[in-house]
Amino acid sequence: MTSFPFYLDCDTGIDDALALAYLLASPQADVRGIGAVSGNVSAAVGARNTLDLLELAGHAHIPVALGAHDPLAGSFGGGAPWVHGANGIGEVELSMAAAGLAPETAAEMLVRLAQEHPGTLRVLAIGPLTNIAEALRLEPSLPQLVAEITIMGGAALAPGNLTPVAEANIANDPEAAALVLSADWNVTLVPLDVTMTNVLEENHRQELLASSGAVPRALGEMLGYYFRFYEGLFGRACSAMHDPLAAALAVGAVTPAVAPVVHVDVDTTSGPSRGQTVCDLRGLYMDYPEQPGARCRVVLALEGDFAPHLVETLLAYSSAAAASEPVGATVA
Ligand code: BDR
Ligand code: CA
């Protein structure tokens, strides 16, 4: 199976932790570097969580770079402890990794990796887009160097989750999102329309908790916290799967059922729709005819059920633990 070099940008977070573990276990992905950005937690706490998870998963060699603390405009708002816990990973305590931070910023890491892998690097962004915007400012030809970028963010036809119309990753840095979504590259946008309708249930969490692998068990514990938040929305213990679903789409392991390529704008005004992703879905009435110049594939629905695939992939850590080997592909 072909494996592609990946740069992951995240605000580690419970669902970011799931996405990271999923990506490491995916044979299609060869994670070359990870940048942390403020979102669910500060960039510094997100980087700490990422380093600790990498060590737990047997991938401590993957470099982690500290990214932006503040969005392009304004300052970091303190994260979402009511969703992810004060430490971002549902109050689960992981052993502190021995590895330290990379000697470059997240934006510098992304630019370096794009230059080292011209035309093949895949970018997966599952937090606010500040680091990606800073990388675009550092290297304006970044869109020509990167093969594609997958972004968890936005709400196309669905309501928002941070405001009535805005999703958290976009709402936490609308200026960065506007820059990234107007750049000349192939974007796959994974909005709330599809992440809120693909749900992980309590039986899936129990499967993770019953695993012999430390990674699935830790994720199962974190999900306990996440499920309590989503119980307030869905009325039962379960959760949306924002970031791992974006990871699965980025590696091509799941197939979109409805994913028109359309123009997307981000509202950067200071009014009530600040942070809204304005997706031109008027083609809905005509089965989405081609929009000249559009580069953003907006995933609105999936083929099949994502949760069993996610759980099966994460449970691969059980057999790897037994064999004392890290899960996931590496390319020399
Ligand atoms: C997104 O915001 C964060 O809370 C999650 O990690 C996800 O990336 C969902 O709106
Ligand atoms: Ca995230």
Side-chain angles (χ1 to χ4, degrees):
M1 183 177 287
T2 315
S3 171
F4 297 103
F6 265 80
Y7 166 82
L8 171 68
D9 201 89
C10 51
D11 57 335
T12 314
I14 295 171
D15 60 327
D16 300 78
L18 288 166
L20 172 59
Y22 174 89
L23 209 57
L24 295 173
S26 299
Q28 304 96 323
D30 172 22
V31 183
R32 291 298 176 106
I34 303 176
V37 66
S38 293
N40 295 321
V41 285
S42 70
V45 172
R48 171 84 270 142
N49 291 341
T50 307
L51 287 165
D52 296 347
L53 282 159
L54 284 172
E55 179 149 307
L56 188 70
H59 288 269
H61 60 282
I62 297 176
V64 177
L66 187 61
H69 178 75
D70 292 318
L72 295 188
S75 46
F76 172 53
W82 63 94
V83 184
H84 297 269
N87 72 350
I89 49 173
E91 310 305 351
V92 171
E93 294 290 338
L94 298 178
S95 303
M96 194 184 282
L101 289 166
E104 58 189 346
T105 66
E108 288 166 350
M109 175 184 273
L110 169 52
V111 169
R112 177 178 60 76
L113 288 171
Q115 287 166 343
E116 286 173 9
H117 305 280
T120 58
L121 186 74
R122 265 74 172 155
V123 175
L124 172 61
I126 54 176
L129 294 167
T130 324
N131 294 339
I132 314 296
E134 286 189 351
L136 281 169
R137 284 177 170 175
L138 267 182
E139 179 48 89
S141 68
L142 190 67
Q144 285 74 58
L145 295 170
V146 163
E148 57 187 39
I149 175 167
T150 302
I151 296 168
M152 189 284 127
L157 297 167
N161 60 359
L162 200 63
T163 78
V165 295
E167 180 278 332
N169 286 342
I170 306 298
N172 281 323
D173 196 342
E175 281 73 19
L179 230 153
V180 171
L181 286 168
S182 63
D184 191 22
W185 47 13
N186 292 325
V187 178
T188 293
L189 192 67
V190 186
L192 295 177
D193 305 65
V194 68
T195 65
M196 289 293 280
T197 50
N198 281 277
V199 170
L200 203 65
E201 302 284 352
E202 179 61 19
N203 63 302
H204 300 125
R205 191 176 86 87
Q206 290 303 328
E207 281 187 64
L208 296 174
L209 287 173
S211 165
S212 59
V215 173
R217 281 204 312 277
L219 295 173
E221 285 172 29
M222 291 174 204
L223 281 167
Y225 199 101
Y226 208 45
F227 275 29
R228 279 192 287 283
F229 167 75
Y230 277 99
E231 198 165 357
L233 295 181
F234 290 126
R236 64 181 194 284
C238 65
S239 77
M241 288 183 286
H242 311 292
D243 294 346
L245 180 50
L249 284 157
V251 303
V254 294
T255 311
V258 185
V261 179
V262 299
H263 291 284
V264 178
D265 276 331
V266 179
D267 188 324
T268 55
T269 65
S270 54
S273 56
R274 179 170 167 77
Q276 182 175 19
T277 44
V278 182
C279 304
D280 187 352
L281 295 175
R282 287 173 289 180
L284 171 70
Y285 303 116
M286 299 168 282
D287 201 17
Y288 299 113
E290 203 176 309
Q291 283 183 16
R295 299 289 294 268
C296 188
R297 181 172 73 133
V298 180
V299 182
L300 297 173
L302 285 189
E303 299 273 7
D305 190 3
F306 175 54
H309 166 68
L310 174 63
V311 172
E312 187 192 351
T313 307
L314 296 175
L315 287 175
Y317 286 96
S318 328
S319 43
S324 304
E325 287 204 355
V327 173
T330 47
V331 170

